[in-house]
Amino acid sequence: MRIIETQPNTQDAIDLMEELSKSLKLITGDSGKSSFNPNDVCVPRSLFVVAYDEAGEAVGCGAIRPINEDVAEVKRMFAKTKELGVGSKILSYLEKQAQKLGYSTLWLETRLVNKRAVAFYEKRGYYRIPNYGKYINRPEAVCFAKAVL
């Protein structure tokens, strides 16, 4: 598997994010599109990645965007399949890059009803934190953090 840093406006990125949005809509009732601005991952100390399998097919994506000097937020995490460990590899890549970019912590939000995502992050060392930003006073949301330094 290859993980490539790219822009969120490439066709592979657009296709993956559209698939993610459809999946989220089925699970949570919300596509998540309103929580992602592609411009947020095109600024300094941010990045967007696409994972490709050995056949060259785009199989997942993810991004980080700055929240403040020490914290970046994980956005648009998606894997088309569980078999290849795509999600784990993308998240690990984002964590390493966040560290290289000088962040000490990653934050993210998912929905409580998205039990697979909650378990995925908890299994990888993320712990629950008070909801931040637009997720404050949103009981359907759950926020996580992980130290990367």
Side-chain angles (χ1 to χ4, degrees), residues 16-130:
L16 287 164
M17 288 190 290
E18 192 57 38
E19 199 169 333
L20 167 61
S21 294
K22 288 177 184 173
S23 176
L24 289 175
K25 181 85 171 157
L26 288 172
I27 296 167
T28 70
D30 184 339
S31 70
K33 287 182 180 182
S34 66
S35 294
F36 178 70
N37 179 344
N39 295 326
D40 288 349
V41 297
C42 297
V43 299
R45 299 182 72 215
S46 70
L47 62 102
F48 188 94
V49 299
V50 173
Y52 293 90
D53 66 13
E54 291 186 14
E57 180 185 349
V59 293
C61 63
I64 58 172
R65 72 175 190 98
I67 296 255
N68 61 43
E69 194 65 28
D70 298 317
V71 179
E73 183 180 29
V74 176
K75 301 298 288 181
R76 298 279 85 181
M77 273 290 300
F78 178 66
K80 288 174 94 169
T81 176
K82 290 191 296 187
E83 284 86 47
L84 303 172
V86 175
S88 294
K89 290 175 183 169
I90 292 170
L91 189 58
S92 177
Y93 184 90
L94 294 174
E95 290 169 355
K96 287 177 185 143
Q97 295 308 330
Q99 183 180 29
K100 286 180 184 176
L101 291 168
Y103 294 110
S104 61
T105 307
L106 286 177
W107 287 357
L108 62 90
E109 179 274 343
T110 192
R111 298 295 170 95
L112 279 170
V113 71
N114 193 347
K115 295 186 186 318
R116 194 168 127 206
V118 170
F120 172 83
Y121 292 116
E122 288 178 336
K123 183 178 178 183
R124 283 151 189 85
Y126 285 76
Y127 56 90
R128 292 182 189 206
I129 59 171

